[in-house]
């Protein structure tokens, strides 16, 4: 505690909050739920995309134009519902993994990214090289597949590195990115005439050996010059 | 077992179950 009467210097240290995740079984349940939901959603989107590519690669429904390839209800449900479910369950898995493994653990998100673009890219590559019978030339699919796989690689490599370090870490807490203390505040409390507890925000440094006499504020006494600390003549 | 191993096992188990579920859903919808 600072001594307001004599003036002291106080170092205030704010420690870093504990890191490393809380563990526990509740986040793990959500990890299981998120992983299952994400995989089921991705499988549904993968299957619907493949079904659509076998039927020509595009479909439509409604509108004033003659539609060559009408979308089936299953394709629409799996694609639209699957994409929305990927977002929801992917969020659940990423959040639960960070809760379990530490705030900076990004392995789940990176691996989901890799799984999404890897699986859909496989459809492009495989059906690009071996197109359905009604397709003539699928170079665009191959190009799309290569781009998808490059994007998947961008998540796969750092994702595997994250998971490897998480597994190798064992039960040790997550290493801190900063060396504590994060904040070291230096507060000087020095009394002044009329302000026995020091001016708010003032940071003057008194001499260590010089005793400072407290001067209580009073409206009955003479006016005290805050600079010289001496009584002044009445101006009125 | 360490936390990392438990997490990895949980993710793999959930993913396998999810793929089976997804195949069943897609098979019934398409």
């Amino acid at each position: 505690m600072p001594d307001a009467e004599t003036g002291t210097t106080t170092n205030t240290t704010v420690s870093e909050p504990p890191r490393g995740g809380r563990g526990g079984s509740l986040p793990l349940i959500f990890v299981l739920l998120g992983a299952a939901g994400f995989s089921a959603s991705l499988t549904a989107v993968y299957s619907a995309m493949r079904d659509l590519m076998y039927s020509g690669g595009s479909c439509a429904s409604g509108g004033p134009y003659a539609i060559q390839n009408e979308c089936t209800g299953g394709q629409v449900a799996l694609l639209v519902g699957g994409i929305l479910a990927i977002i929801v369950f992917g969020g659940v898995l990423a959040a639960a993994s960070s809760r379990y493994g530490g705030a900076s653990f990004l392995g789940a998100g990176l691996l989901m990214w890799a799984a999404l673009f890897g699986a859909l890219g496989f459809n492009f590559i495989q059906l690009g090289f071996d197109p359905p019978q009604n397709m003539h030339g699928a170079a665009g699919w191959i190009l799309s597949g290569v781009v998808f796989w490059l994007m998947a690689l961008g998540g796969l490599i750092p994702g595997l590195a994250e998971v490897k370090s998480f597994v190798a870490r064992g039960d040790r807490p997550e290493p801190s990115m900063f060396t504590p203390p994060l904040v070291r505040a230096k507060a000087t409390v020095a009394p002044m005439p009329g302000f026995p507890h020091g001016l708010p925000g003032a940071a003057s440094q008194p001499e260590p050996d010089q005793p400072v006499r407290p001067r209580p504020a009073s409206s009955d006494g003479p006016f005290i010059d805050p600079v010289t600390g001496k009584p002044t003549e009445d101006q009125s | 077992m360490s936390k990392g191993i438990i997490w990895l096992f949980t993710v793999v188990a959930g993913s396998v179950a999810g793929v089976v579920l997804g195949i069943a859903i897609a098979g019934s919808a398409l």
Side-chain angles (χ1 to χ4, degrees):
Chain A
M1 286 291 290
D3 187 348
E5 300 298 324
T6 59
T8 57
T9 300
T10 304
N11 285 331
T12 305
T13 301
V14 179
S15 299
E16 193 179 5
R19 296 162 62 90
R22 296 185 179 181
S25 58
L26 188 62
L28 215 52
I29 292 172
F30 281 100
V31 167
L32 186 69
L33 177 72
F38 177 82
S39 301
S41 311
L42 181 57
T43 306
V45 170
Y46 171 89
S47 304
M49 174 186 172
R50 201 170 178 82
D51 187 68
L52 183 61
M53 291 173 78
Y54 269 111
S55 63
S58 63
C59 70
S61 56
Y65 300 102
I67 297 170
Q68 186 179 9
N69 184 21
E70 188 91 22
C71 295
T72 65
Q75 287 172 344
V76 174
L78 288 180
L79 281 173
V80 176
I83 289 170
L84 291 176
I86 280 176
I87 295 171
V88 171
F89 285 109
V92 169
L93 176 56
S97 296
S98 290
R99 186 84 172 175
Y100 182 77
S104 66
F105 177 57
L106 302 175
L110 291 168
L111 289 183
M112 283 190 286
W113 171 278
L116 176 66
F117 286 101
L120 302 187
F122 175 80
N123 271 345
F124 281 128
I125 295 279
Q126 204 250 324
L127 293 181
F129 282 108
D130 185 19
Q133 291 185 351
N134 57 346
M135 290 289 296
H136 300 287
W141 285 358
I142 297 174
L143 184 63
S144 301
V146 170
V147 172
F148 267 50
W149 272 6
L150 286 175
M151 292 176 70
L153 209 60
L156 183 66
I157 294 173
L160 287 178
E162 278 266 310
V163 172
K164 182 184 174 188
S165 73
F166 183 33
V167 171
R169 198 175 76 206
D171 290 330
R172 292 191 303 276
E174 188 178 16
S176 173
M177 288 186 290
F178 307 100
T179 55
L182 280 178
V183 177
R184 182 181 290 275
K186 186 175 183 180
T188 300
V189 182
M192 290 189 69
F195 297 93
H197 301 290
L199 285 173
S204 60
Q205 181 68 49
E207 293 295 328
D209 299 332
Q210 180 182 0
V212 180
R213 184 169 53 89
R215 304 177 72 119
S218 171
S219 60
D220 298 332
F223 178 74
I224 297 175
D225 191 324
V227 177
T228 62
K230 296 178 180 177
T232 59
E233 298 295 331
D234 191 359
Q235 301 291 326
S236 60
Chain B
M1 276 199 296
S2 71
K3 281 171 62 176
I5 297 286
I6 295 171
W7 177 85
L8 193 59
F9 179 78
T10 307
V11 167
V12 170
S15 299
V16 171
V19 168
V20 174
L21 180 66
I23 290 173
I25 293 171
S28 64
L30 295 175

